[in-house]
Amino acid sequence: MIDFRSDTVTQPTMAMKEAMVSAALGDDVFQDDPTTNQLQRFAAEQLGFEAALFAPSGTQTNLIAMMSHCQRGDEVIVGQQWHTYRWEAGGMAVLGSMQPQPLELQDDGSLALEDIAAAIKPDDPHFARTRLIVIENTVGGKVLSPEYMAAVAELAKKHQLACHIDGARLMNAASRLATDHQLPVWQMARQLCQGYDSLSLCLSKGLGAPVGSLLLGSASFIQRAHRIRKMLGGGMRQTGMLAAAGLYALQHHVERLVDDHKNCQQLADGLWELTQHYPVLQGQIALEPVQTNILFCDMTPELAAKLVPYLQLQGVQLSGSNYSKAGTQWHRLRWVCHLDISSDDILYALKAMDNFARSYQGTE
């Protein structure tokens, strides 16, 4: 099965498994697991933060960050489509007692600076106190530029607010930007983080570890985060076996992210060519531009109802859902490339799409 549902489905490589089995272990609740400590030091040094904290998931590191920055009743400025607002089960409100202030995204995935500034509440007891700005990078595979990231950090500083990056796929953003700016990828990643108070970095998406995320920030911030992690049930014991996978991923899987980006562009180009070749597909499929490893493909629900089961039978697995745009119903398929998908897999998927289009055309 070629699994395009998400880059979370990656399996540990043999070398990663060997690193996990041979990892030196301790008790991370006592902060004496040597491999976990090594992972945290490595990430903090590479990304320009004082300290880091390993946790089970990005949902938890985001929540830990927000609860460490904010008190009950404080307000957090987020995007309508941010994971922190839409896809993390309302944890910031339910568990953190924080009020989200969601803003509409621009076409490039950013929040308009003027919208952020307008959402900051005055010092008035009628309002929740604005305390934190959250930015996500990448946003559905879209990359926010270092200039934009710096502008948001400067805006937060001007208004004496904290700012946090949900960087689940930050290294994908850094890889794309590093290519564009001809910089080493780690230098680009560090630049994206400059001026921010905290960062959540996922190890189990494109980087390919089986589990875990890191929260990075100042030493005092991470000290507060330790307490919140314990409160949320994120304190684990011999985490070195998991941390070893994350450390291996950071040391060996960052540079290869560009392969996923190339494969995703190859997929997008191939699908576009099919829509041009088969008139029956024209007007029924719309492709979003690719920047990193995620391709969104919109189609009519009628077409999707036939295509998705067909591809499943051919060994190509996808995720998708219906949505409405300008009064028209669409089905959005998400194709995510990752280290377990090769260029040959892309060619196989495109061949399956070609076979479907040929047979579909014959039924019209």
Side-chain angles (χ1 to χ4, degrees):
M1 183 69 69
I2 304 173
D3 197 340
F4 287 97
R5 289 176 300 167
S6 176
D7 42 11
T8 61
V9 304
T10 56
Q11 297 290 307
T13 64
M14 184 58 65
M16 182 179 285
K17 290 178 180 178
E18 291 172 355
M20 295 170 71
V21 170
S22 62
L25 303 179
D27 188 318
D28 188 50
V29 173
F30 293 134
Q31 300 181 41
D32 63 10
D33 184 279
T35 307
T36 303
N37 291 340
Q38 183 183 1
L39 166 65
Q40 292 168 167
R41 284 193 304 270
F42 178 84
E45 290 169 0
Q46 290 290 98
L47 293 168
F49 290 93
E50 289 182 352
L53 181 68
F54 181 68
S57 71
T59 296
Q60 189 171 100
T61 49
N62 277 329
L63 182 56
I64 292 170
M66 292 186 290
M67 291 179 68
S68 298
H69 285 303
C70 300
Q71 300 298 314
R72 290 167 56 90
D74 285 346
E75 179 182 82
V76 183
I77 295 175
V78 292
Q80 283 279 3
Q81 300 299 324
W82 277 191
H83 278 72
T84 44
Y85 175 66
R86 187 177 181 89
W87 302 103
E88 295 182 356
M92 62 188 299
V94 176
L95 300 177
S97 297
M98 292 167 279
Q99 174 169 290
Q101 172 59 72
L103 303 178
E104 289 292 339
L105 272 61
Q106 303 300 299
D107 290 341
D108 64 357
S110 69
L111 300 179
L113 296 177
E114 55 268 28
D115 289 349
I116 297 175
I120 299 171
K121 305 299 186 292
D123 186 7
D124 185 309
H126 291 88
F127 302 117
R129 180 177 56 179
T130 307
R131 174 68 72 172
L132 175 66
I133 300 171
V134 173
I135 292 294
E136 188 169 317
N137 199 4
T138 64
V139 184
K142 295 179 179 179
V143 176
L144 302 184
S145 70
E147 295 80 13
Y148 174 79
M149 296 295 288
V152 173
E154 181 61 29
L155 177 64
K157 181 179 179 181
K158 176 182 176 181
H159 291 276
Q160 297 181 312
L161 303 178
C163 49
H164 169 71
I165 304 172
D166 176 1
R169 295 184 176 91
L170 182 81
M171 300 313 297
N172 287 96
S175 294
R176 170 59 188 266
L177 291 166
T179 300
D180 294 344
H181 291 74
Q182 296 183 328
L183 290 174
V185 62
W186 280 107
Q187 182 179 336
M188 192 75 255
R190 179 188 283 251
Q191 186 174 334
L192 289 172
C193 298
Q194 285 182 359
Y196 283 81
D197 298 289
S198 58
L199 164 71
S200 172
L201 178 68
C202 186
L203 302 170
S204 63
K205 290 188 169 72
L207 294 175
V211 66
S213 285
L214 288 165
L215 178 61
L216 300 97
S218 68
S220 59
F221 172 82
I222 293 300
Q223 187 175 15
R224 295 196 301 275
H226 266 283
R227 181 180 294 273
I228 302 298
R229 187 186 69 174
K230 181 66 175 178
M231 184 191 307
L232 296 175
M236 301 179 287
R237 297 299 177 176
Q238 285 71 43
T239 52
M241 294 189 73
L242 300 176
L247 183 60
Y248 184 91
L250 291 180
Q251 292 176 337
H252 296 89
H253 289 173
V254 169
E255 302 292 342
R256 62 149 308 279
L257 289 173
V258 294
D259 297 335
D260 300 336
H261 301 176
K262 290 176 182 176
N263 286 339
C264 200
Q265 188 61 59
Q266 178 189 3
L267 175 66
D269 292 343
L271 291 175
W272 185 84
E273 290 175 4
L274 288 175
T275 63
Q276 302 307 299
H277 182 72
Y278 292 102
V280 71
L281 298 181
Q282 294 172 13
Q284 293 204 63
I285 293 181
L287 301 172
E288 291 285 318
V290 168
Q291 293 187 27
T292 54
N293 67 320
I294 300 176
L295 167 64
F296 288 109
C297 177
D298 290 348
M299 61 187 59
T300 61
E302 295 77 16
L303 178 61
K306 297 178 180 179
L307 173 62
V308 174
Y310 175 87
L311 290 178
Q312 180 82 17
L313 289 173
Q314 303 305 310
V316 178
Q317 198 165 10
L318 296 166
S319 62
S321 60
N322 291 333
Y323 77 102
S324 178
K325 181 179 181 181
T328 301
Q329 290 295 315
W330 291 92
H331 186 88
R332 170 160 286 188
L333 288 180
R334 189 175 81 148
W335 303 72
V336 185
C337 295
H338 49 79
L339 64 83
D340 286 338
I341 290 180
S342 66
S343 180
D344 287 343
D345 292 331
I346 300 296
L347 294 176
Y348 177 89
L350 289 172
K351 181 61 177 177
M353 283 289 298
D354 182 80
N355 291 337
F356 170 82
R358 187 178 297 111
S359 62
Y360 185 66
Q361 183 170 255
T363 63
E364 290 295 302

